[in-house]
Amino acid sequence: MRIDCPYCGARDLREYTYGGAAAYLQRPEAEAEAAADDAAWDAYLHLRDNPAGRTRDLWFHEPCATWLEVERDTVSHEIFATRALAGVRT
Amino acid sequence: MRYSGLRVFTQGLLGNTGWKPAWRKPAPKAEYDVVIIGGGGHGLATAYYLAKKHGITNVAVLERGYLGGGNIGRNTTIVRANYFLPGNSEFYSHSLKLWEGLEADLNYNTMHSQRGLINLFHSDGQRDAFARRGNAMLAQGDDAVLLSREEVREKLPYLDYEQARFPIYGGLYHPRGGTARHDAVAWGYARGADQRGVDLIENCAVTGIDIAGGKVTGVQTTRGAIRAKKVAMVVAGRSSQVAEMAGMRLPIESHVLQAFVTEGLKPVINHVVSFGMGHFYISQSDKGGLVFGGDLDFYASYAARGNLPRVEQVMEAGMTLMPMIGRAKILRSWGGIMDMSPDGSPIIDRTDIDGLFVNCGWNYGGFKAVPASGDSLAHLLATGRPLEVAKGFRLDRFRTGRGLMDEEGTGSQHNLH
Ligand SMILES: Cc1cc2nc3c(=O)[nH]c(=O)nc-3n(C[C@H](O)[C@H](O)[C@H](O)COP(=O)(O)OP(=O)(O)OC[C@H]3O[C@@H](n4cnc5c(N)ncnc54)[C@H](O)[C@@H]3O)c2cc1C
Ligand SMILES: [Zn+2]
């Protein structure tokens, strides 16, 4: 498997560390935190769509120290798109 | 038909013409008391214990492919009861006891071989951790022996003791640990369930779960609609897809785990051995192949095959530990789809939908669990109460934070196990 880094180009899987589902980008808002809304936190930390097919997840490219969001297929391992997360506020 | 040594002998004389299929191929009925989705080890064992212990025989197991074609037929067959945490340790202890009576119970040769399992350690800190684990196993009533480096050397003379990158300090020996023939476990439970009247329906994928008024009423399948009073989802790596049919999201991520087997060799590795400084474990099958594996590939995947970096890492770990295996040729490698839970421990529970139950989160360790998991889910389905040894396997423990079972002490979030 090779993943396109926007800075370094297509690089081997060995250079990347997996960071889990892109759901990690949707951190519950401060209100949820204040209300101790455990359903929102449960959804954020534990519950997953876990699709067999197209998914979005987070990968860290070690050589350039960049977090990426990768859109890929969990069955065929095909990579569709990648984008750097630096500066992206969700 | 009862199986016995005498029957094998007489059938041999008769040219093996008298054997019958081990289970029927029934068409699905319109309605069952219990429908079990998934004909892997856990689904088949659940059906068996429902019939045998609770007398509930109006049961169907619906399998998308063929019985035993999932992880039950893809694993590296290690059976052990060396868990540490309360909740896990009594469950796996119960499972190993069921294993020890399984062949007689099923009248089926599962080739269960208690050849002993040795977990090596390579530092003082690891020795302390294994001594503590061994004490927990003894406290649970199971067996554990802390071996010194010299005692390990007597049992495993072929390891690299001279110039290893990670010197061997000793090992935790679990004499009752071992292996079993994985397919035979599926077949044995299938035959036992079938004999008691359970319908095993192959090539029958569940495509929908019918719910009315918060209660499950049946399932839609590729072989038509089937009504059911109770439905259990027992589909391992496909748990998220099936739960989605009931509008549920589970705390599960599916990852691929690879395994490898070499050409057949004369007996050389008599135990199950695991390396403590890199994920690698090995045993030798009765056919002679060295069966080994390592870590997950560590990213969400439904491809029943892995990637090359993990292959290299497993081979390197093996070569570091036991250089002799470099002479053996790899015959095959494959992958299975693992249902990973955040804390690395399983779930056997009811859901918020009346009559709908879930059994998942087996991670890479659900083979040894097959007997106790089937026993536990059958008990829950039949009585509405969890079996004592499985009462910690709750679905809500992630939301509440109560009763998390992080056996490896790495944390209770995804991708840490
Ligand atoms: C490489 C590898 C090595 C392993 N090594 C070990 C080990 O040494 N020791 C150990 O204890 N465990 C081990 N495991 C883990 C163990 O194999 C699994 O945890 C266990 O087999 C999972 O439960 P199961 O047998 O019920 O799953 P499966 O056999 O996967 O059964 C699930 C079944 O559900 C069916 N299904 C899915 N969707 C549907 C649907 N919509 N409708 C109908 N049916 C459906 C599937 O076709 C499948 O047959 C290993 C796993 C792998 C992959
Ligand atoms: Zn880069």
Side-chain angles (χ1 to χ4, degrees):
Chain A
M1 198 153 113
R2 296 179 115 211
I3 299 175
D4 280 313
C5 171
Y7 305 118
C8 314
R11 306 293 302 176
D12 189 87
L13 184 63
R14 292 168 182 80
E15 294 182 359
Y16 289 89
T17 304
Y18 184 63
Y24 280 131
L25 298 174
Q26 271 98 51
R27 191 184 157 89
E29 295 300 329
E31 303 85 77
E33 202 163 343
D37 180 353
D38 53 359
W41 282 102
D42 189 35
Y44 170 66
L45 287 170
H46 308 125
L47 303 182
R48 292 289 174 260
D49 292 338
N50 193 24
R54 261 187 202 247
T55 195
R56 290 184 306 119
D57 47 21
L58 308 177
W59 295 75
F60 183 67
H61 192 217
E62 280 163 32
C64 70
T66 301
W67 277 103
L68 306 178
E69 184 182 356
V70 176
E71 193 177 343
R72 64 185 183 93
D73 193 303
T74 56
V75 179
S76 67
H77 290 172
E78 186 181 351
I79 312 273
F80 303 114
T82 54
R83 64 171 179 138
L85 285 170
V88 175
R89 178 97 181 90
T90 50
Chain B
M1 177 195 289
R2 244 197 101 69
Y3 294 156
S4 66
L6 181 63
R7 196 179 288 273
V8 170
F9 179 74
T10 49
Q11 278 301 319
L13 296 179
L14 297 170
N16 286 310
T17 47
W19 299 111
K20 304 229 165 51
W23 56 83
R24 299 164 293 133
K25 300 246 179 234
K29 289 194 276 185
E31 178 162 10
Y32 291 94
D33 291 337
V34 181
V35 157
I36 295 167
I37 311 174
H42 293 251
L44 293 167
T46 302
Y48 175 77
Y49 291 113
L50 267 178
K52 173 158 192 239
K53 290 180 90 166
H54 304 281
I56 300 176
T57 55
N58 186 23
V59 175
V61 177
L62 310 182
E63 166 54 45
R64 179 171 80 152
Y66 59 94
L67 296 183
N71 287 330
I72 189 68
R74 291 171 174 268
N75 64 74
T76 44
T77 78
I78 294 163
V79 174
R80 58 187 166 90
N82 60 351
Y83 282 70
F84 177 68
L85 291 182
N88 274 335
S89 88
E90 56 266 43
F91 176 82
Y92 290 101
S93 179
H94 177 57
S95 206
L96 186 52
K97 290 186 195 108
L98 290 176
W99 274 106
E100 288 170 341
L102 195 61
E103 295 183 346
D105 187 25
L106 295 176
N107 174 231
Y108 204 90
N109 183 7
T110 63
M111 296 164 78
H112 182 213
S113 151
Q114 295 184 291
R115 57 187 66 184
L117 174 142
I118 300 175
N119 296 123
L120 299 169
F121 50 79
H122 311 265
S123 68
D124 290 332
Q126 270 196 335
R127 177 193 289 121
D128 291 350
F130 273 120
R132 193 164 170 236
R133 178 174 294 269
N135 286 336
M137 291 158 66
L138 293 173
Q140 179 58 47
D142 292 319
D143 58 323
V145 185
L146 201 67
L147 301 180
S148 68
R149 176 185 161 91
E150 285 318 308
E151 287 165 330
V152 170
R153 196 170 191 152
E154 271 168 36
K155 291 195 189 309
L156 314 176
Y158 48 79
L159 301 182
D160 182 357
Y161 294 88
E162 304 314 327
Q163 44 184 344
R165 167 72 182 79
F166 300 104
I168 292 160
Y169 276 43
L172 183 64
Y173 179 40
H174 173 34
R176 284 162 67 224
T179 59
R181 168 84 197 272
H182 46 18
D183 311 293
V185 175
W187 299 334
Y189 274 117
R191 173 170 166 269
D194 175 87
Q195 281 172 347
R196 287 168 177 79
V198 171
D199 284 355
L200 308 175
I201 300 166
E202 299 174 80
N203 298 311
C204 179
V206 171
T207 53
I209 297 179
D210 298 331
I211 298 161
K215 192 180 177 338
V216 77
T217 57
V219 292
Q220 299 293 324
T221 79
T222 48
R223 295 180 68 177
I226 301 173
R227 289 193 303 282
K229 297 190 181 75
K230 289 176 186 167
V231 174
M233 305 182 282
V234 197
V235 292
R238 292 280 168 176
S239 292
S240 299
Q241 279 75 47
V242 173
E244 196 187 358
M245 297 172 194
M248 291 173 64
R249 281 174 95 213
L250 293 176
I252 295 291
E253 249 188 35
S254 296
H255 284 245
V256 60
L257 178 69
Q258 305 194 53
F260 309 87
V261 65
T262 69
E263 59 192 328
L265 304 169
K266 288 190 175 170
V268 55
I269 293 179
N270 301 325
H271 306 81
V272 180
V273 183
S274 81
F275 185 28
M277 287 307 291
H279 216 334
F280 174 82
Y281 64 95
I282 189 165
S283 67
Q284 187 167 15
S285 79
D286 292 315
K287 251 190 329 192
L290 305 181
V291 180
F292 59 96
D295 248 330
L296 295 175
D297 276 28
F298 267 119
Y299 48 86
S301 173
Y302 285 86
R305 60 185 150 72
N307 248 303
L308 195 57
R310 179 62 72 230
V311 178
E312 290 171 348
Q313 197 241 4
V314 171
M315 302 296 158
E316 283 168 10
M319 287 298 289
T320 305
L321 185 66
M322 41 180 85
M324 70 168 182
I325 65 169
R327 298 284 183 93
K329 292 191 184 70
I330 304 287
L331 271 192
R332 279 176 287 128
S333 75
W334 64 95
I337 302 160
M338 324 299 327
D339 37 334
M340 304 300 296
S341 70
D343 64 355
S345 291
I347 295 162
I348 304 177
D349 207 350
R350 56 179 73 246
T351 68
D352 289 340
I353 296 154
D354 211 14
L356 183 65
F357 296 79
V358 61
N359 170 313
C360 66
W362 293 100
N363 296 271
Y364 25 69
F367 179 63
K368 69 181 86 68
V370 162
S373 167
D375 191 16
S376 301
L377 181 56
H379 187 92
L380 182 64
L381 282 161
T383 68
R385 290 186 310 278
L387 194 65
E388 189 61 23
V389 294
K391 69 179 190 310
F393 296 160
R394 294 172 63 114
L395 179 57
D396 69 0
R397 68 179 183 271
F398 305 101
R399 182 173 58 74
T400 63
R402 273 192 295 277
L404 292 168
M405 275 177 271
D406 175 14
E407 184 75 25
E408 291 165 6
T410 49
S412 295
Q413 278 186 38
H414 289 293
N415 311 313
L416 299 178
H417 296 274

